Amino acid sequence: PRNISEFVWPSASDAALAEMFDALPADIDGVVSGHSGIPFARLLPPGVAKGQRLWLNAGVIGMPANDGTTRGWFTVLIPHADGNLTVSIRALHYDAGGAAEAIYARPQLVRGYADSLTSGIWPSHDVLPLQEQMMTGVELQESSLVWPPPFRKSSSEVVSAKSYRSARYPLWILSLTFASAAAIMLSVAWSQRSRGRRLAS
């Protein structure tokens, strides 16, 4: 939110992510971000908005996650009638070798990126914090978390489906890459299914 070129990594502290939320309108409860290439999802403690705030790096479908595998990554947002939202980070298996060959066939393109597609390791680590550098080559696992609606006061409180559909559940979308655009498309589709929700961008 502070800078479209700012990288956000899994090692970022809750306090650092909370500061990024401070740059957004007060009614934004979630951020769907991309560009860093390493997917993660985290729920932050309640702030200005009610409920837990979501920070989501949705993953990249055009580059591996520096984990030593050829997989890309994407995220699916799954709404439920009880007001919860499942955030599911998933791996994408594709013909990485074919994609690399397509890069090799074009001399104007950087070969290091083609090598990365087949090795699963990024060609440069200069932007990575130390913790992410230490995780180079460590295989990521698919994961999910459940995001309670922002108006829920406690984990034991049940919200009706009617309240869920009429509640606002705004998201802020940060996009710089084609991969992030895929995450936006998923989020827009989810937003359109949930009446009364606002998608901020």
Side-chain angles (χ1 to χ4, degrees):
R2 298 178 299 192
N3 188 324
I4 193 65
S5 298
E6 182 176 16
F7 289 92
V8 182
W9 307 102
S11 61
S13 67
D14 285 353
L17 296 180
E19 288 180 4
M20 296 179 197
F21 270 99
D22 290 341
L24 297 172
D27 63 346
I28 298 300
D29 300 303
V31 172
V32 179
S33 178
H35 187 54
S36 80
I38 301 179
F40 74 93
R42 192 182 312 166
L43 293 176
L44 301 180
V48 176
K50 296 179 181 178
Q52 294 179 304
R53 293 173 295 175
L54 172 73
W55 186 282
L56 169 63
N57 271 25
V60 173
I61 59 174
M63 279 287 285
N66 198 43
D67 68 340
T69 76
T70 60
R71 303 167 300 169
W73 292 87
F74 66 101
T75 297
V76 178
L77 305 178
I78 306 169
H80 301 284
D82 64 357
N84 289 324
L85 183 76
T86 295
V87 180
S88 182
I89 296 176
R90 301 180 182 178
L92 174 70
H93 299 270
Y94 72 105
D95 182 10
E101 289 300 325
I103 294 177
Y104 292 141
R106 293 166 175 78
Q108 70 274 23
L109 298 180
V110 179
R111 293 181 61 88
Y113 287 105
D115 295 339
S116 180
L117 293 182
T118 56
S119 70
I121 304 297
W122 291 359
S124 174
H125 292 167
D126 58 330
V127 300
L128 287 174
L130 179 60
Q131 187 168 338
E132 276 69 32
Q133 291 184 36
M134 298 290 289
M135 294 300 291
T136 295
V138 177
E139 184 175 340
L140 294 180
Q141 302 298 318
E142 293 184 331
S143 62
S144 296
L145 62 76
V146 175
W147 185 22
F151 48 81
R152 176 174 291 188
K153 295 180 181 179
S154 70
S155 58
S156 61
E157 184 177 350
V158 176
V159 181
S160 69
K162 181 177 180 181
S163 297
Y164 165 74
R165 288 194 299 270
S166 63
R168 296 189 348 167
Y169 214 148
L171 296 173
W172 182 273
I173 306 296
L174 302 178
S175 175
L176 190 60
T177 65
F178 175 75
S180 300
I184 289 175
M185 291 170 62
L186 289 170
S187 298
V188 169
W190 164 72
S191 179
Q192 290 174 343
R193 290 179 58 188
S194 303
R195 295 179 298 173
R197 296 183 183 248
R198 184 171 66 86
L199 180 67
S201 60

